[in-house]
Amino acid sequence: MEKTGITIYGCEKDEAEMFRRYSPRYGVEPTIIKSVVSAETAALASGNCCISVNHKTEIDLSTLRALKENGVAYISTRSIGCNHIDIKAAEKLGITIGNVAYSPASVADYTLMLILMSIRNAKSVLCRADVHDYKLCAVPGRELRDMTVGVLGTGRIGQAVIDRLNGFGCRILSYNLDPQAKAEYVTLGELLRQSDILTLHMPLNADTYHILDRKRIQSMKHGAFVINTARGSLIDTEALIRALENGRLGGAALDVVEGEEGIFYHDCTNKPIHNQLLLRLQKLPNAIITPHTAFYTEHALQDIVENTIQNCLEFERGKR
């Protein structure tokens, strides 16, 4: 039987190993390319109508046109979000876009870790321990059972976070544009006013861009914590920094930051970083920053690889 070819762009070593491991089970021949997709690398997809891309690369009109010229009809992004792809341009060119679902437990577990690190002053504790300062923090930590957690977005990941929070005995409030989960829903205004911790789990689109803006940050409970493992641009970062600096907010733990592209997933040890918002955040004692790594577990990677392959095979079958 003839194998289906898939060109896989921007493939890291761990992903490449999994694609090589699982592709034969599905009768797929992967062409694994380390470089990211672009107008210049589009010709590498020639012969395969299906390609896979990562979530780190912006795919604009020029790249889409080049892919179309090389016979690409389907793009499967190895992410849930598609905001890095010009969807309207793809539609006009007749290119279908697909995303993948993966274990929500990966991001949910990480979210709980960031919540606990925030309310227990983990950044201060670890930094001081590194220089052999073992005194107790000036301010004691807090316990989740005494707090109200607001979950902004109750899709698969938001629901998984709620499931985990239930075991801590805290009060849980939720807000979603389309309430469907088993949760205590309130208005967005009430969520902000009542939550000691606000955790974000919404997709990024025109409706949710800067959903946490200056005005909404000002309406939050004094001393509240903000956790974001979704997309950086859900938050007006400048407004967040000001609220952290002046004590309006108690802290923030961010796995995603506006303008992270070209910085996160790269070794910038000896390179200049021009994202001033990121640099300001990292200097704050009450801000924890991690490089968009919440999804990164073995289980999630397996889900991403297998679902990518299945997406492409389903498109091929439909095309035939």
Side-chain angles (χ1 to χ4, degrees):
M1 187 175 88
E2 184 180 349
K3 290 187 176 182
T4 298
I6 304 174
T7 303
I8 303 153
Y9 284 96
C11 203
E12 301 290 346
K13 182 180 177 182
D14 49 6
E15 291 178 306
E17 289 175 355
M18 284 201 176
F19 271 110
R20 293 190 183 100
R21 185 189 313 166
Y22 292 106
S23 291
R25 301 182 186 182
Y26 294 93
V28 164
E29 185 67 43
T31 300
I32 296 172
I33 298 171
K34 189 172 183 180
S35 56
V36 299
V37 66
S38 66
E40 291 71 31
T41 61
L44 298 174
S46 184
N48 292 338
C49 77
C50 295
I51 69 167
S52 168
V53 300
N54 61 37
H55 68 275
K56 312 165 195 173
T57 309
E58 297 292 322
I59 302 178
D60 57 16
L61 177 58
S62 62
T63 299
L64 291 166
R65 280 177 175 161
L67 290 168
K68 181 72 174 180
E69 290 169 3
N70 284 278
V72 172
Y74 182 78
I75 300 174
S76 178
T77 176
R78 298 191 295 279
S79 60
I80 294 174
C82 299
N83 55 290
H84 56 297
I85 302 174
D86 189 335
I87 301 292
K88 290 183 179 178
E91 289 176 354
K92 289 180 180 178
L93 291 168
I95 298 176
T96 302
I97 306 298
N99 63 348
V100 295
Y102 54 86
S103 165
S106 58
V107 179
D109 288 353
Y110 201 89
T111 299
L112 263 292
M113 179 189 76
L114 291 181
I115 288 173
L116 293 170
M117 288 180 71
S118 295
I119 65 174
R120 297 301 300 268
N121 307 308
K123 181 175 181 177
S124 174
V125 172
L126 293 172
C127 287
R128 288 186 296 103
D130 281 344
V131 295
H132 310 299
D133 179 355
Y134 303 118
K135 298 191 301 292
L136 290 175
C137 287
V139 179
R142 299 180 65 184
E143 296 183 23
L144 263 180
R145 63 177 177 171
D146 300 324
M147 305 177 81
T148 296
V149 181
V151 180
L152 186 54
T154 55
R156 293 171 67 248
I157 292 172
Q159 290 180 51
V161 169
I162 291 171
D163 289 343
R164 283 154 177 74
L165 286 169
N166 281 325
F168 286 88
C170 53
R171 185 187 181 200
I172 307 166
L173 301 176
S174 302
Y175 173 82
N176 201 71
L177 296 174
D178 181 22
Q180 292 180 335
K182 291 182 179 179
E184 183 180 346
Y185 285 101
V186 294
T187 65
L188 180 54
E190 281 302 306
L191 189 82
L192 299 175
R193 281 190 290 273
Q194 295 191 45
S195 297
D196 299 295
I197 301 164
L198 181 71
T199 179
L200 283 71
H201 302 287
M202 283 187 154
L204 177 63
N205 53 45
D207 293 327
T208 61
Y209 176 79
H210 281 189
I211 191 168
L212 197 61
D213 59 14
R214 182 189 59 81
K215 185 176 180 181
R216 286 181 174 139
I217 288 172
Q218 287 300 312
S219 73
M220 290 180 66
K221 194 171 184 179
H222 187 84
F225 296 85
V226 174
I227 314 295
N228 191 5
T229 54
R231 288 292 183 269
S233 292
L234 293 173
I235 301 175
D236 179 340
T237 312
E238 177 68 43
L240 176 70
I241 291 171
R242 289 179 182 175
L244 291 169
E245 288 175 336
N246 64 28
R248 185 73 184 74
L249 292 179
L254 312 174
D255 186 51
V256 288
V257 177
E258 286 188 288
E260 68 183 53
E261 297 79 16
I263 302 174
F264 287 178
Y265 305 123
H266 298 275
D267 183 355
C268 299
T269 305
N270 298 309
K271 297 178 183 177
I273 294 176
H274 301 294
N275 185 331
Q276 294 303 311
L277 295 176
L278 173 61
L279 294 175
R280 286 171 63 190
L281 280 166
Q282 291 190 294
K283 289 179 182 178
L284 293 174
N286 54 349
I288 297 170
I289 306 298
T290 62
H292 205 147
T293 192
F295 78 98
Y296 191 58
T297 65
E298 288 184 2
H299 193 126
L301 278 179
Q302 181 179 331
D303 288 345
I304 289 168
V305 168
E306 291 201 272
N307 289 336
T308 294
I309 292 170
Q310 291 173 5
N311 277 358
C312 294
L313 289 176
E314 287 174 9
F315 179 82
E316 286 276 3
R317 282 193 290 268
K319 182 168 65 71
R320 295 194 196 104

